[in-house]
Amino acid sequence: MNRRKICVVTGTRAEYGLLYWLMKEIESDESFELQIAVTGMHLSPEFGLTYKLIEQDGFTIHEKIEMLLSSDTPVGIATSLGLGTIGFASAFDRLKPDIVVVLGDRFETMAATQAAMIARIPIAHLYGGEITEGVIDEAIRHSITKMAHYHFVSTDSYRKRVIQLGEHPERVFNVGAIGLDNIRKMKLLTKTEFENSIDFTLGELNFLVTYHPVTLDRIGPEETMVELFAALDHFPNAKIIFTKPNSDTDGRIISKMIDEYVSGNQSRSTSFTSLGQLRYLSAIQHVDLVIGNSSSGIIEVPSFKKATINLGSRQRGRFRTDSIIDCEEQRSSIINAIQWGISNDFQQKLQKLRSPYGEEYVSLKILEILKSVDYKDSLMKSFFDLRVEH
């Protein structure tokens, strides 16, 4: 029996963390041959050369596609996108996969998807149909949806949105959020183990902070970071763990400001380029709330029954639970949101919440679907036209 070659593409530490269990399931299934193509921040010394973590997990990397320039300007990002498309074209020609699996909405994913589409390789896309109005990822995600042939979405409302984009309902599968597999399957670190792993002692009040650039905002991130730091200083007894942003436009500005803040507050704060999935999820488990504008605050954090202080517009439009406290990027608004998030009333409210992103093991559901579809007949797509009454 010929084994189907499935090429999984990953360009960031967070993306790999989401794909980990699916990669494990593919690797262990006798009907599949797993191929791994890494790119973007995985290959950057500035972002920790995280491809080594993939190898430490026992995976074999089949292709390394260099595309990330040492620039986070719009010109640099656009140039990286072009380089990535060229690199993936050659990589896919060597690998000759039967299908390419991509996740999310980043420009690295866009490069891989463009190359696969032109090479007439079927594409399976995870996390389509979502909305993030504050970033260019919004347009990239929907563009990938139109190039992809199979869609694995995390809620029924996202499934409807992908169908609204013209994708046939038979190819759009609501499987839940794959990131929740890590919460169910990983043995997270105890508080002492976590503190030892980051060389930092937690206190009675602890915050995990992750802030990414809002790439469609004409105002740079400096003003927001000043407001955020001022709000954090309003809680002088809080211990703060920062995780730095991805290689988006203006990401280096935020990283530099975090370094400067931590340098002046070493007794109560620390920062990391990459915590890795195990330490990141363990951090959520042991802090009191999560602050920032990361998608993990919307999707994964509610499963821990913890509050998310969601800043600004980056995640505007995403489906969310009542554990998400939206606030403006101003110190007074952030302070009020934190105070509400740590209050007894809100903590009691959290205990009654359930995640809207599914309960079953998502990676296994995706695997079974990948087994059942006919890749050879998937390239020809017809636009699924919704009936509109005038």
PDB file of all heavy atoms in Angstrom, residues 214-229:
ATOM      1  N   VAL A 214      -0.421  45.476  16.410  1.00  0.00           N
ATOM      2  CA  VAL A 214      -1.699  45.593  15.703  1.00  0.00           C
ATOM      3  C   VAL A 214      -1.364  46.152  14.335  1.00  0.00           C
ATOM      4  O   VAL A 214      -1.257  47.360  14.147  1.00  0.00           O
ATOM      5  CB  VAL A 214      -2.673  46.505  16.475  1.00  0.00           C
ATOM      6  CG1 VAL A 214      -4.035  46.550  15.767  1.00  0.00           C
ATOM      7  CG2 VAL A 214      -2.839  46.011  17.904  1.00  0.00           C
ATOM      8  N   THR A 215      -1.191  45.256  13.353  1.00  0.00           N
ATOM      9  CA  THR A 215      -0.538  45.642  12.103  1.00  0.00           C
ATOM     10  C   THR A 215      -1.363  46.566  11.219  1.00  0.00           C
ATOM     11  O   THR A 215      -0.827  47.157  10.281  1.00  0.00           O
ATOM     12  CB  THR A 215      -0.159  44.384  11.306  1.00  0.00           C
ATOM     13  OG1 THR A 215      -1.298  43.504  11.232  1.00  0.00           O
ATOM     14  CG2 THR A 215       0.973  43.653  11.991  1.00  0.00           C
ATOM     15  N   LEU A 216      -2.656  46.696  11.466  1.00  0.00           N
ATOM     16  CA  LEU A 216      -3.469  47.631  10.678  1.00  0.00           C
ATOM     17  C   LEU A 216      -3.654  48.969  11.379  1.00  0.00           C
ATOM     18  O   LEU A 216      -4.333  49.848  10.869  1.00  0.00           O
ATOM     19  CB  LEU A 216      -4.837  47.015  10.367  1.00  0.00           C
ATOM     20  CG  LEU A 216      -4.833  45.851   9.370  1.00  0.00           C
ATOM     21  CD1 LEU A 216      -6.255  45.376   9.101  1.00  0.00           C
ATOM     22  CD2 LEU A 216      -4.153  46.240   8.063  1.00  0.00           C
ATOM     23  N   ASP A 217      -3.046  49.117  12.554  1.00  0.00           N
ATOM     24  CA  ASP A 217      -3.136  50.366  13.301  1.00  0.00           C
ATOM     25  C   ASP A 217      -2.080  51.329  12.777  1.00  0.00           C
ATOM     26  O   ASP A 217      -0.896  50.984  12.691  1.00  0.00           O
ATOM     27  CB  ASP A 217      -2.909  50.100  14.793  1.00  0.00           C
ATOM     28  CG  ASP A 217      -3.370  51.262  15.664  1.00  0.00           C
ATOM     29  OD1 ASP A 217      -3.479  52.387  15.131  1.00  0.00           O
ATOM     30  OD2 ASP A 217      -3.619  51.034  16.858  1.00  0.00           O
ATOM     31  N   ARG A 218      -2.495  52.524  12.418  1.00  0.00           N
ATOM     32  CA  ARG A 218      -1.547  53.516  11.898  1.00  0.00           C
ATOM     33  C   ARG A 218      -0.640  54.067  13.000  1.00  0.00           C
ATOM     34  O   ARG A 218       0.401  54.650  12.739  1.00  0.00           O
ATOM     35  CB  ARG A 218      -2.294  54.664  11.209  1.00  0.00           C
ATOM     36  CG  ARG A 218      -3.034  54.226   9.958  1.00  0.00           C
ATOM     37  CD  ARG A 218      -3.670  55.403   9.245  1.00  0.00           C
ATOM     38  NE  ARG A 218      -4.356  54.986   8.032  1.00  0.00           N
ATOM     39  CZ  ARG A 218      -3.772  54.822   6.855  1.00  0.00           C
ATOM     40  NH1 ARG A 218      -2.479  55.039   6.734  1.00  0.00           N
ATOM     41  NH2 ARG A 218      -4.467  54.443   5.802  1.00  0.00           N
ATOM     42  N   ILE A 219      -1.047  53.888  14.245  1.00  0.00           N
ATOM     43  CA  ILE A 219      -0.234  54.338  15.365  1.00  0.00           C
ATOM     44  C   ILE A 219       0.657  53.189  15.822  1.00  0.00           C
ATOM     45  O   ILE A 219       0.200  52.052  15.943  1.00  0.00           O
ATOM     46  CB  ILE A 219      -1.124  54.817  16.530  1.00  0.00           C
ATOM     47  CG1 ILE A 219      -2.029  55.952  16.063  1.00  0.00           C
ATOM     48  CG2 ILE A 219      -0.278  55.256  17.717  1.00  0.00           C
ATOM     49  CD1 ILE A 219      -3.045  56.388  17.092  1.00  0.00           C
ATOM     50  N   GLY A 220       1.935  53.443  16.045  1.00  0.00           N
ATOM     51  CA  GLY A 220       2.863  52.400  16.460  1.00  0.00           C
ATOM     52  C   GLY A 220       2.538  51.891  17.847  1.00  0.00           C
ATOM     53  O   GLY A 220       1.694  52.432  18.564  1.00  0.00           O
ATOM     54  N   PRO A 221       3.242  50.818  18.280  1.00  0.00           N
ATOM     55  CA  PRO A 221       2.925  50.177  19.556  1.00  0.00           C
ATOM     56  C   PRO A 221       3.499  50.883  20.778  1.00  0.00           C
ATOM     57  O   PRO A 221       3.169  50.520  21.904  1.00  0.00           O
ATOM     58  CB  PRO A 221       3.561  48.793  19.396  1.00  0.00           C
ATOM     59  CG  PRO A 221       4.750  49.043  18.504  1.00  0.00           C
ATOM     60  CD  PRO A 221       4.298  50.112  17.537  1.00  0.00           C
ATOM     61  N   GLU A 222       4.356  51.878  20.584  1.00  0.00           N
ATOM     62  CA  GLU A 222       5.026  52.501  21.729  1.00  0.00           C
ATOM     63  C   GLU A 222       4.039  53.064  22.742  1.00  0.00           C
ATOM     64  O   GLU A 222       4.185  52.864  23.951  1.00  0.00           O
ATOM     65  CB  GLU A 222       5.973  53.624  21.258  1.00  0.00           C
ATOM     66  CG  GLU A 222       7.126  53.140  20.393  1.00  0.00           C
ATOM     67  CD  GLU A 222       6.826  53.280  18.918  1.00  0.00           C
ATOM     68  OE1 GLU A 222       5.628  53.178  18.534  1.00  0.00           O
ATOM     69  OE2 GLU A 222       7.778  53.477  18.143  1.00  0.00           O
ATOM     70  N   GLU A 223       3.019  53.772  22.267  1.00  0.00           N
ATOM     71  CA  GLU A 223       2.062  54.406  23.175  1.00  0.00           C
ATOM     72  C   GLU A 223       1.297  53.358  23.984  1.00  0.00           C
ATOM     73  O   GLU A 223       1.090  53.523  25.195  1.00  0.00           O
ATOM     74  CB  GLU A 223       1.086  55.265  22.369  1.00  0.00           C
ATOM     75  CG  GLU A 223       0.101  56.040  23.227  1.00  0.00           C
ATOM     76  CD  GLU A 223      -0.784  56.954  22.402  1.00  0.00           C
ATOM     77  OE1 GLU A 223      -0.358  57.380  21.307  1.00  0.00           O
ATOM     78  OE2 GLU A 223      -1.916  57.224  22.854  1.00  0.00           O
ATOM     79  N   THR A 224       0.903  52.286  23.326  1.00  0.00           N
ATOM     80  CA  THR A 224       0.183  51.220  24.031  1.00  0.00           C
ATOM     81  C   THR A 224       1.054  50.579  25.102  1.00  0.00           C
ATOM     82  O   THR A 224       0.590  50.313  26.223  1.00  0.00           O
ATOM     83  CB  THR A 224      -0.296  50.149  23.045  1.00  0.00           C
ATOM     84  OG1 THR A 224      -1.255  50.712  22.153  1.00  0.00           O
ATOM     85  CG2 THR A 224      -0.931  48.973  23.785  1.00  0.00           C
ATOM     86  N   MET A 225       2.320  50.322  24.782  1.00  0.00           N
ATOM     87  CA  MET A 225       3.202  49.676  25.751  1.00  0.00           C
ATOM     88  C   MET A 225       3.430  50.567  26.967  1.00  0.00           C
ATOM     89  O   MET A 225       3.491  50.076  28.105  1.00  0.00           O
ATOM     90  CB  MET A 225       4.535  49.318  25.091  1.00  0.00           C
ATOM     91  CG  MET A 225       4.435  48.244  24.006  1.00  0.00           C
ATOM     92  SD  MET A 225       3.605  46.723  24.543  1.00  0.00           S
ATOM     93  CE  MET A 225       4.769  46.112  25.760  1.00  0.00           C
ATOM     94  N   VAL A 226       3.550  51.879  26.752  1.00  0.00           N
ATOM     95  CA  VAL A 226       3.696  52.811  27.875  1.00  0.00           C
ATOM     96  C   VAL A 226       2.464  52.737  28.775  1.00  0.00           C
ATOM     97  O   VAL A 226       2.570  52.709  30.010  1.00  0.00           O
ATOM     98  CB  VAL A 226       3.916  54.253  27.355  1.00  0.00           C
ATOM     99  CG1 VAL A 226       3.794  55.254  28.503  1.00  0.00           C
ATOM    100  CG2 VAL A 226       5.277  54.379  26.688  1.00  0.00           C
ATOM    101  N   GLU A 227       1.284  52.703  28.174  1.00  0.00           N
ATOM    102  CA  GLU A 227       0.045  52.602  28.941  1.00  0.00           C
ATOM    103  C   GLU A 227      -0.045  51.266  29.680  1.00  0.00           C
ATOM    104  O   GLU A 227      -0.479  51.210  30.841  1.00  0.00           O
ATOM    105  CB  GLU A 227      -1.164  52.773  28.017  1.00  0.00           C
ATOM    106  CG  GLU A 227      -1.300  54.159  27.398  1.00  0.00           C
ATOM    107  CD  GLU A 227      -1.559  55.228  28.446  1.00  0.00           C
ATOM    108  OE1 GLU A 227      -2.577  55.142  29.141  1.00  0.00           O
ATOM    109  OE2 GLU A 227      -0.715  56.150  28.575  1.00  0.00           O
ATOM    110  N   LEU A 228       0.368  50.194  29.021  1.00  0.00           N
ATOM    111  CA  LEU A 228       0.334  48.876  29.653  1.00  0.00           C
ATOM    112  C   LEU A 228       1.282  48.813  30.840  1.00  0.00           C
ATOM    113  O   LEU A 228       0.913  48.329  31.925  1.00  0.00           O
ATOM    114  CB  LEU A 228       0.703  47.808  28.619  1.00  0.00           C
ATOM    115  CG  LEU A 228       0.875  46.374  29.145  1.00  0.00           C
ATOM    116  CD1 LEU A 228      -0.382  45.874  29.841  1.00  0.00           C
ATOM    117  CD2 LEU A 228       1.262  45.439  28.004  1.00  0.00           C
ATOM    118  N   PHE A 229       2.494  49.319  30.664  1.00  0.00           N
ATOM    119  CA  PHE A 229       3.462  49.302  31.771  1.00  0.00           C
ATOM    120  C   PHE A 229       2.954  50.125  32.953  1.00  0.00           C
ATOM    121  O   PHE A 229       3.122  49.728  34.117  1.00  0.00           O
ATOM    122  CB  PHE A 229       4.818  49.837  31.301  1.00  0.00           C
ATOM    123  CG  PHE A 229       5.511  48.962  30.292  1.00  0.00           C
ATOM    124  CD1 PHE A 229       6.294  49.520  29.285  1.00  0.00           C
ATOM    125  CD2 PHE A 229       5.387  47.585  30.351  1.00  0.00           C
ATOM    126  CE1 PHE A 229       6.942  48.721  28.362  1.00  0.00           C
ATOM    127  CE2 PHE A 229       6.035  46.768  29.415  1.00  0.00           C
ATOM    128  CZ  PHE A 229       6.811  47.349  28.424  1.00  0.00           C
TER     129      PHE A 229
END
